[in-house]
Amino acid sequence: MAQTYFPSKVTSPNKELANLLSGERQLKVEDVQEAYVEQKDRLVNAIDATKSIMLDLQTFNKDQWIIRYPQYKEAIETVSPTSAPRRKSLRRSLTFVDDPVTETEVVVRKKMQRSVTVSPISEHTEEEETDEDASSDFNVLRLDLQLGPNSTVTSLVSQLEKSSIANLLDERISASLNHVEKLRLRVEDTSSKVLVTGDLNAGKSTFVNALLRREVMPVDQQPCTTAFCEVHDAAENKGVEEVHIISQGHSYDVNDESSFTRASISELEDIVGENEDNERIFKLYLADTRTPSESLLNNGVVDISLIDAPGLNRDSLNTTALFARQEEIDVVVFVVSAENHFTLSAREFLVNASKEKAYLFIVVNKFEHIKNKEKCRRVVLDQIKQLSPRTYENADDLVHFVDSAAALQPYTANPTFDDLESSLRSFVLVKRSKSKLHPVSTYLNNLLADVELLAGANSIVANTELEQAKESLAQVKPVLERMKNGQESLEESLETLEEEGASGASSKSKLILTQALERVGQGKLAIDNPLVSLPSYPGIFGVWNFARDVRKALLASLDTAVKLAEDEARMITSAGVDRIKDIGEHHLPAAVDRNRRVFMPEAMFSSVRKAGKGSTKNRRSLTVVAGGVHGLGIGLAQRPDMQETTFFDLFDVQHQFWLHFGDGQSDKATTADEESAAPTALGLASVGVGALTMVGGQAIGAKGLIEGIIRVSDLFGNETVRKWAAPVLGAVTIGMTAYLVLELPNSIPKTVGRRVRASVLRLHGDDDISFIDAHAFRISRETRKVLRLASWDLRGRFNGAMEERGKEVQAKEEIAKRATRAMEWFGELGRKSEEIRVNARLGSDA
């Protein structure tokens, strides 16, 4: 083991440390500590406030608002080759991961270091839209949505919903909360942890040995260092130098021997070799005999632990473990080989570390082996400029090109390493605010900057949703109010239309059928220009068939009159359906589908409804087809009982008797024309025969009839009577025959018509409803049914549209309330973030 080496002279160019050690500067360690404590207190308050903000953000994301994850792209501007270069524009194109197509032009402005605000571009002028340091990238809350070299965010969006993005963001918020909690513990911890890491074979262990001025850490050309070796001052272990092997799964406590196993310093190399495949942590307690002004561990100010970490690119597990320990590290000393520069693993680590620690201590080891040192220095600094800009700005103090192996040579001056050690002591001790607090400050600034980006973007989203909701409400709400105000009018219009249509069809049917029966009673066809006509008179020998055909024609004309009434009802119904459509056009909103079904009037009165179980009479009375109801459904012309021809169709004796000798009415339904009709020969003969029949049968009796015949025979026994009887009887016979031949063609239709009319009226003699009323009721009911169906359809569409508009208004009002609340909340979130920065002065360098 090499002897401890003490440099004879401090050759550090770091004036701050030199002045502190020489006593030329008034600022003493106590003053530094007092300033440190003051800033630490502010930082602790900032941590607590940030934690509160993150908890509120997480709760808001889960319960009240799905936080959208924004992406910002620089606006593309066309610049001519001859134009002067412009400053970096503040304009950004705002899109969202779950909606990469929609873009919004915004301005991202820098208000203070690492503090940005997002606002619509309309609020800014062109002169305000330039800032060299404006940043619109996420740091802590960045979501890794990379699927591969040929994948895009758009390809991922098809598999992710807004809620999925919000869940991913919630996981990042939870991770940041855990990190903030550990930062608070780190800030309150009075000690400082210095992590020494780098690529394999970069000389990390050699560098640690050089800092300790003794060979303690195992040094081997093989990549065998897999453990975390933490070096502490032996004073923390009661001045005893030894190794504590921490038991796996236990929390380490120097005063609890059950949490570790003791070993000697000389056994360290063997212990590390034995645990090569195990990720173990070793605590090394070493005594440094150098003065506090020269020693890093025994500095007399704060407790410092020096952590020798595994190499980055040995395997992914060790690299992941190293990344996870960053949150408990105050200072990162990164050792890079001057021969290999920064590998991919080193770049990844430094980029990740820079998100929290703006200042990294870079040691370029094995520099003495490089021939072209200037080129190596230039290349390394260029790489550092890209990986850690703040480190590059302070390269004189933070970047050192040394040869650690040469520093271990006894009694050999090594100014470059002495300068490195002095700078590291200054960075860790004198500039504790920068080395210990500033990483925490940087992380909080990055986190709060991400929160402000989220707040600004989601505030824009909320404002957009609010404006869209207001615009939709301005369109939908008046429609809903108009529909509510017109609902009663619609109901009244439909009810009135139904009633008018049904009553109109009923009145028209009654008028047509009443006139039809009157015409039939006069021996005329029921309607003008019918499809049927009265038969021609065939002569006296065809008078029976003539009466039968007249009856059929009159019955068929009545059926035609019924169909005419139905056609009139069809017209009334069709007009009513059109009026219902017009009412719908007036009351329904434009976006509501109209009834596209075509009304077919011919479909009316064509259905047959079968009666249920019951008597034959009930089933017959419920049969409804074209032309009939209540037993008349098959049509009058097709009913055998209505087609039966009798002798009284030729000679209606009873009608003639009551016409001439009664009260002038036949069957209480004779028209005025019949009452004023002149007596005819046939009528007189009928009356005579009837009178003789009645008188002979009821008044005279059989005995009187026999006596009358005997007297007539006696009368014809007289020669004078016999002489004139033959001419008189011949004249009477000829006259009677002439009258019969001339009168029958005109009297039979009237006689048959009266009998048909009387038969139709007798069909409903036992019912409360007449033939005319029955058909009028049937036709009116069919008309009402069709109009009611059309009305029900319109009511359904109207009520459905009104309900839909009501839900839409309710949803838009809820969106407006939620968006307004979100805008206020995100605005307050941005103000709180800015207040935290101002109160804690997180933006200023220590």
Side-chain angles (χ1 to χ4, degrees):
M1 183 176 295
Q3 299 294 324
T4 303
Y5 166 71
F6 298 94
S8 59
K9 184 180 180 180
V10 178
T11 58
S12 170
N14 191 304
K15 295 183 178 180
E16 185 175 2
L17 180 60
N19 292 336
L20 178 62
L21 298 178
S22 62
E24 294 178 0
R25 190 171 180 180
Q26 296 299 323
L27 181 62
K28 297 182 179 180
V29 175
E30 291 78 6
D31 298 329
V32 174
Q33 282 295 99
E34 184 179 351
Y36 171 81
V37 171
E38 181 183 353
Q39 188 167 3
K40 185 196 75 170
D41 292 340
R42 291 200 305 268
L43 192 58
V44 169
N45 293 333
I47 290 175
D48 293 338
T50 302
K51 182 179 178 181
S52 177
I53 282 180
M54 298 307 294
L55 287 173
D56 292 343
L57 182 64
Q58 191 174 41
T59 303
F60 198 74
N61 184 35
K62 291 180 179 179
D63 300 337
Q64 303 185 44
W65 184 268
I66 298 179
I67 296 181
R68 307 283 294 279
Y69 185 76
Q71 291 181 324
Y72 299 91
K73 301 177 182 179
E74 291 189 14
I76 300 177
E77 298 182 3
T78 304
V79 182
S80 61
T82 58
S83 62
R86 295 185 57 185
R87 301 175 66 191
K88 189 175 181 180
S89 175
L90 297 177
R91 292 194 178 202
R92 297 290 187 273
S93 178
L94 172 62
T95 61
F96 293 89
V97 172
D98 50 52
D99 187 14
V101 178
T102 304
E103 295 187 2
T104 304
E105 294 295 326
V106 297
V107 171
V108 181
R109 301 196 65 216
K110 178 180 178 182
K111 299 176 66 176
M112 56 188 299
Q113 183 173 336
R114 301 301 302 166
S115 176
V116 293
T117 59
V118 181
S119 57
I121 199 169
S122 58
E123 299 179 5
H124 301 271
T125 61
E126 183 65 25
E127 289 74 11
E128 296 177 320
E129 293 176 8
T130 58
D131 194 325
E132 294 179 355
D133 298 324
S135 175
S136 57
D137 294 330
F138 282 94
N139 296 282
V140 180
L141 300 181
R142 180 189 296 273
L143 299 182
D144 186 9
L145 301 177
Q146 297 295 330
L147 296 180
N150 298 324
S151 300
T152 61
V153 174
T154 306
S155 63
L156 178 67
V157 171
S158 60
Q159 303 175 8
L160 293 178
E161 299 179 350
K162 293 179 181 179
S163 58
S164 301
I165 298 295
N167 290 335
L168 292 176
L169 186 60
D170 184 69
E171 294 177 2
R172 296 298 303 155
I173 294 174
S174 298
S176 66
L177 278 170
N178 294 332
H179 192 81
V180 168
E181 189 66 31
K182 293 178 180 179
L183 289 179
R184 194 181 196 283
L185 297 176
R186 193 168 95 197
V187 169
E188 292 180 337
D189 187 5
T190 57
S191 64
S192 292
K193 293 183 179 180
V194 180
L195 176 70
V196 180
T197 187
D199 289 328
L200 288 174
N201 295 327
K204 300 184 304 300
S205 299
T206 302
F207 171 73
V208 174
N209 288 336
L211 285 178
L212 299 174
R213 299 306 170 107
R214 56 191 292 188
E215 294 183 2
V216 178
M217 299 299 171
V219 179
D220 197 334
Q221 294 296 325
Q222 299 298 321
C224 60
T225 306
T226 61
F228 286 90
C229 298
E230 298 185 10
V231 183
H232 296 261
D233 187 8
E236 301 178 24
N237 190 38
K238 301 178 181 180
V240 179
E241 284 191 338
E242 60 183 358
V243 178
H244 290 181
I245 306 173
I246 299 178
S247 302
Q248 292 184 346
H250 288 75
S251 178
Y252 174 73
D253 185 358
V254 68
N255 298 317
D256 183 7
E257 294 191 7
S258 64
S259 63
F260 62 89
T261 303
R262 300 179 187 273
S264 64
I265 299 297
S266 60
E267 296 174 334
L268 179 61
E269 185 172 356
D270 295 333
I271 295 173
V272 171
E274 293 173 359
N275 293 273
E276 179 180 353
D277 297 329
N278 298 323
E279 187 180 316
R280 302 298 294 272
I281 298 178
F282 306 112
K283 299 281 188 176
L284 281 71
Y285 292 93
L286 300 177
D288 195 342
T289 59
R290 292 180 294 175
T291 63
S293 62
E294 296 175 339
S295 174
L296 184 62
L297 296 179
N298 183 25
N299 55 76
V301 180
V302 295
D303 295 332
I304 291 180
S305 59
L306 199 61
I307 304 173
D308 184 13
L312 286 176
N313 51 3
R314 184 177 190 275
D315 57 54
S316 59
L317 291 178
N318 286 333
T319 301
T320 303
L322 181 58
F323 274 48
R325 293 204 64 178
Q326 281 199 68
E327 59 193 13
E328 61 184 80
I329 302 301
D330 297 310
V331 179
V332 172
V333 178
F334 195 88
V335 181
V336 60
S337 173
E339 299 170 349
N340 300 326
H341 300 176
F342 295 96
T343 63
L344 291 178
S345 298
R347 290 172 180 270
E348 182 182 2
F349 177 84
L350 292 175
V351 169
N352 187 70
S354 297
K355 295 178 180 178
E356 177 181 325
K357 301 170 177 65
Y359 302 99
L360 302 174
F361 204 90
I362 307 296
V363 177
V364 185
N365 203 9
K366 304 178 183 179
F367 186 66
E368 295 299 329
H369 300 164
I370 302 300
K371 294 182 179 180
N372 192 345
K373 291 182 172 53
E374 289 301 324
K375 179 180 179 181
C376 177
R377 185 186 299 272
R378 184 177 64 254
V379 172
V380 170
L381 289 176
D382 288 342
Q383 292 177 341
I384 293 174
K385 183 178 182 180
Q386 297 176 357
L387 300 173
S388 180
R390 292 296 183 87
T391 302
Y392 175 80
E393 294 172 1
N394 296 267
D396 292 341
D397 294 332
L398 300 178
V399 181
H400 296 269
F401 297 82
V402 299
D403 190 344
S404 300
L408 285 171
Q409 299 300 323
Y411 305 103
T412 301
N414 194 331
T416 57
F417 197 86
D418 292 342
D419 179 63
L420 178 151
E421 189 173 12
S422 299
S423 297
L424 182 58
R425 279 175 49 82
S426 175
F427 186 62
V428 175
L429 300 178
V430 180
K431 298 183 179 180
R432 278 193 84 198
S433 296
K434 179 179 290 188
S435 63
K436 185 175 180 66
L437 300 185
H438 196 278
V440 179
S441 170
T442 300
Y443 182 84
L444 292 181
N445 270 294
N446 287 335
L447 180 58
L448 292 174
D450 290 353
V451 170
E452 290 179 9
L453 284 177
L454 281 177
N458 282 272
S459 181
I460 291 177
V461 172
N463 182 64
T464 301
E465 291 189 4
L466 178 61
E467 294 300 324
Q468 291 176 351
K470 289 181 177 179
E471 183 178 354
S472 299
L473 286 174
Q475 297 176 357
V476 179
K477 204 167 185 179
V479 174
L480 178 62
E481 295 298 328
R482 187 164 58 251
M483 293 182 71
K484 288 181 177 179
N485 296 333
Q487 186 176 18
E488 184 177 354
S489 174
L490 173 67
E491 293 291 339
E492 293 178 356
S493 299
L494 292 178
E495 291 177 1
T496 302
L497 193 147
E498 291 177 18
E499 190 61 33
E500 288 180 352
S503 61
S506 176
S507 301
K508 191 68 175 178
S509 299
K510 288 181 179 180
L511 178 62
I512 292 175
L513 295 180
T514 299
Q515 293 177 349
L517 283 178
E518 290 178 357
R519 290 175 61 87
V520 168
Q522 297 173 10
K524 302 176 183 178
L525 293 176
I527 58 176
D528 293 329
N529 299 322
L531 298 177
V532 295
S533 59
L534 287 174
S536 58
Y537 182 65
I540 190 63
F541 298 102
V543 67
W544 189 263
N545 292 332
F546 174 69
R548 183 186 60 198
D549 293 341
V550 168
R551 176 177 284 273
K552 288 182 178 181
L554 293 178
L555 291 174
S557 68
L558 279 177
D559 290 339
T560 305
V562 173
K563 290 185 174 70
L564 177 61
E566 293 177 350
D567 291 339
E568 290 291 335
R570 289 186 177 98
M571 295 176 61
I572 293 174
T573 305
S574 181
V577 171
D578 291 338
R579 286 180 59 189
I580 291 176
K581 290 182 179 180
D582 294 338
I583 294 175
E585 289 294 334
H586 177 71
H587 287 85
L588 289 179
V592 178
D593 292 335
R594 269 50 175 177
N595 188 355
R596 304 301 179 187
R597 288 181 292 181
V598 179
F599 172 62
M600 300 177 64
E602 58 272 14
M604 294 178 63
F605 313 106
S606 61
S607 61
V608 177
R609 291 185 297 173
K610 295 182 179 179
K613 295 181 180 180
S615 63
T616 304
K617 178 180 179 182
N618 291 338
R619 288 198 296 270
R620 182 171 62 250
S621 65
L622 292 176
T623 302
V624 180
V625 295
V629 70
H630 292 286
L632 301 178
I634 61 175
L636 298 175
Q638 282 74 39
R639 293 186 54 168
D641 57 333
M642 296 295 294
Q643 295 180 7
E644 183 179 355
T645 304
T646 64
F647 173 79
F648 292 103
D649 288 341
L650 303 179
F651 305 100
D652 193 354
V653 178
Q654 186 176 1
H655 170 74
Q656 294 297 335
F657 180 81
W658 287 108
L659 179 65
H660 297 287
F661 299 101
D663 58 359
Q665 297 181 355
S666 176
D667 211 14
K668 297 182 181 181
T670 306
T671 63
D673 293 338
E674 293 173 332
E675 293 174 358
S676 60
T680 62
L682 183 61
L684 292 175
S686 301
V687 171
V689 174
L692 288 175
T693 301
M694 294 181 65
V695 172
Q698 299 178 10
I700 302 176
K703 183 178 179 180
L705 179 62
I706 294 173
E707 292 178 353
I709 294 173
I710 294 174
R711 290 178 182 179
V712 170
S713 61
D714 293 340
L715 179 63
F716 277 97
N718 190 319
E719 182 178 356
T720 303
V721 172
R722 287 197 304 270
K723 180 180 179 180
W724 288 99
V728 171
L729 289 175
V732 170
T733 301
I734 294 172
M736 294 268 313
T737 302
Y739 274 112
L740 288 175
V741 171
L742 295 177
E743 189 69 18
L744 277 177
N746 295 324
S747 61
I748 288 178
K750 295 180 179 181
T751 301
V752 172
R754 285 192 298 271
R755 291 181 59 79
V756 167
R757 179 176 180 275
S759 298
V760 169
L761 294 177
R762 281 198 303 271
L763 288 176
H764 298 271
D766 297 334
D767 298 338
D768 294 335
I769 186 171
S770 66
F771 170 82
I772 297 175
D773 292 337
H775 278 291
F777 173 77
R778 176 181 64 86
I779 293 173
S780 172
R781 183 180 60 186
E782 185 75 4
T783 300
R784 186 186 297 275
K785 181 182 71 174
V786 175
L787 294 178
R788 182 163 294 173
L789 288 175
S791 298
W792 283 348
D793 179 82
L794 177 56
R795 286 189 182 95
R797 294 177 185 274
F798 182 85
N799 293 334
M802 188 166 64
E803 182 180 1
E804 182 180 350
R805 297 303 181 279
K807 292 180 178 179
E808 186 176 358
V809 168
Q810 184 178 2
K812 295 300 180 182
E813 288 178 344
E814 184 62 29
I815 290 175
K817 292 180 182 178
R818 186 168 61 93
T820 302
R821 186 167 58 250
M823 287 181 61
E824 295 174 354
W825 192 86
F826 284 118
E828 182 64 21
L829 183 66
R831 287 189 290 272
K832 286 182 179 179
S833 299
E834 183 178 358
E835 183 179 353
I836 294 173
R837 297 172 187 274
V838 173
N839 292 339
R841 298 178 183 175
L842 296 180
S844 60
D845 292 337

